[in-house]
Amino acid sequence: MKQKVTSFLSYLKNEKKASENTILSYGRDLKEFISFLEKTEIPSFTMVNKTTILAYNYEMKKQKKADSTISRSMASLRAFFQYLIQTGELSESPTFGIELPKLEKKSPEYLLVEEVELLLKQPKEKSVKGLRDSAMIELLYATGIRVSELVTLKEKDINLTLEYVECKNENKVRILPFGKKAKEAIEAYLKTSRPILAEKGTHKDVLFLNCFGNPMTRQGFWKIIKGYAKKAGIEKSITPHMLRHSFAMHLLENGATLEFVQEMLGHSDISTTQVYLRTEKENVKNVYAKVHPRA
């Protein structure tokens, strides 16, 4: 069974061009499902039926797993069994007709403009690490790109003359503009900081490097953001993705259209972007309730 999962993950990577995070998520979900099958003495995927899937669903609920976790896990199983149908292993999927838990879309957490300004003031302007961190945070907030996209950028993806970054993700390319502050931060990093970091490693083309000269990782950048947030006195449980949310919210608050924000974020479906619009409306309602004398 593990070999079939390995083949599926390889298919996702090579054929579907899925992101590393997606592949890791599918792999984790399928590993847990195999563990369940072994406990229930089901030796093959061909012996899995609808009852098995419902039993696994019940088992996850018994373990008090969140609806979002169960929904994601079931979606992983659907994709996997669809793959087995394509390869001729199965004639129909045992997940057919099984409903996923209905999830309520949470409003995204984001930073206020003042909090972003505080965060951006934390990196030491003249240190090697500070210049790099400043460039990363400025670019992240200026463009709203995903952290996974940020850490995989190549030096050639940045055009300082025309002030844009070419962002490639899953066969899609987005040309994203950035402003004066991000440009200045990136220029300072490229001129002073990056050459020093690059001497320590072999990844000469990657834009953002860690202190060992290797590509910055998502986990490494997350720790950096957490450290600066604590230093700035920001009490929110900050994540790098929160800067992406902040970017979107601040654009909408300043008059950008939903379609423009969708394009910048790279959302294929505008319904994904609409969650920011709902948050903005909630904010307006809360402000109204506080300031109107008859609210």
Side-chain angles (χ1 to χ4, degrees):
M1 289 192 286
K2 291 178 182 177
Q3 181 56 48
K4 294 193 188 307
V5 170
T6 301
S7 298
F8 171 61
L9 298 179
S10 178
Y11 162 77
L12 289 177
K13 179 180 179 180
N14 300 320
E15 300 293 329
K16 303 297 286 184
K17 305 298 181 185
S19 68
E20 183 181 347
N21 286 344
T22 298
I23 294 168
L24 288 173
S25 178
Y26 276 120
R28 186 166 51 246
D29 291 340
L30 292 169
K31 182 180 179 181
E32 290 183 6
F33 182 59
I34 287 176
S35 178
F36 170 77
L37 294 181
E38 289 172 347
K39 287 178 185 176
T40 52
E41 298 182 350
I42 296 176
S44 168
F45 290 124
T46 58
M47 296 181 69
V48 173
N49 55 31
K50 190 172 182 178
T51 302
T52 310
I53 301 297
L54 289 171
Y56 182 55
N57 203 328
Y58 176 72
E59 180 63 23
M60 287 191 287
K61 287 180 180 177
K62 226 168 68 168
Q63 293 173 8
K64 300 189 183 302
K65 291 193 175 183
D67 283 347
S68 58
T69 301
I70 295 173
S71 182
R72 190 205 64 226
S73 185
M74 297 304 290
S76 296
L77 292 183
R78 279 185 176 179
F80 176 64
F81 282 110
Q82 188 59 41
Y83 167 75
L84 293 183
I85 291 172
Q86 290 175 10
T87 57
E89 297 283 338
L90 296 174
S91 58
E92 61 180 30
S93 172
T95 64
F96 182 75
I98 295 178
E99 293 185 6
L100 300 180
K102 289 185 178 179
L103 302 178
E104 182 180 342
K105 286 187 178 180
K106 294 182 180 179
S107 297
E109 291 187 73
Y110 67 99
L111 299 174
L112 301 175
V113 174
E114 297 80 9
E115 291 172 323
V116 173
E117 292 290 346
L118 264 176
L119 187 69
L120 289 168
K121 287 179 181 177
Q122 300 313 309
K124 293 180 181 179
E125 292 181 3
K126 295 184 179 179
S127 73
V128 171
K129 183 177 179 295
L131 287 170
R132 179 205 61 199
D133 297 347
S134 179
M136 292 187 78
I137 298 171
E138 285 282 6
L139 185 60
L140 190 66
Y141 178 60
T143 60
I145 61 175
R146 300 173 181 88
V147 179
S148 57
E149 295 170 331
L150 180 74
V151 298
T152 54
L153 285 175
K154 303 290 191 294
E155 195 172 356
K156 66 180 181 180
D157 295 329
I158 291 286
N159 189 316
L160 289 170
T161 304
L162 299 178
E163 298 180 5
Y164 73 80
V165 58
E166 189 173 316
C167 186
K168 307 178 187 72
N169 181 48
E170 297 177 12
N171 291 332
K172 296 177 183 176
V173 178
R174 306 196 313 285
I175 304 298
L176 304 174
F178 53 79
K180 180 183 175 183
K181 293 290 186 182
K183 178 181 180 178
E184 290 174 351
I186 296 167
E187 281 180 331
Y189 165 67
L190 289 175
K191 181 180 178 182
T192 308
S193 180
R194 192 182 179 284
I196 296 172
L197 296 173
E199 286 178 0
K200 303 176 183 179
T202 58
H203 299 81
K204 304 300 182 185
D205 60 336
V206 177
L207 180 59
F208 294 114
L209 302 170
N210 63 20
C211 293
F212 301 101
N214 297 319
M216 175 66 68
T217 63
R218 292 171 64 253
Q219 294 83 356
F221 186 57
W222 182 82
K223 289 179 182 178
I224 289 169
I225 288 284
K226 293 283 280 189
Y228 286 136
K230 185 177 181 181
K231 191 177 174 184
I234 299 172
E235 296 182 358
K236 293 174 182 175
S237 183
I238 192 171
T239 66
H241 205 70
M242 196 181 285
L243 278 173
R244 179 171 160 87
H245 293 324
S246 305
F247 163 83
M249 284 303 304
H250 297 165
L251 284 180
L252 287 170
E253 286 171 355
N254 284 283
T257 65
L258 197 63
E259 289 76 14
F260 176 77
V261 175
Q262 177 192 9
E263 182 68 24
M264 291 291 289
L265 294 178
H267 289 162
S268 56
D269 190 340
I270 200 167
S271 64
T272 308
T273 321
Q274 284 172 338
V275 67
Y276 296 109
L277 197 60
R278 186 170 74 243
T279 302
E280 187 190 23
K281 288 178 179 177
E282 288 172 359
N283 291 342
V284 171
K285 186 176 179 181
N286 290 336
V287 171
Y288 176 83
K290 287 179 182 178
V291 301
H292 196 281
R294 297 180 71 84

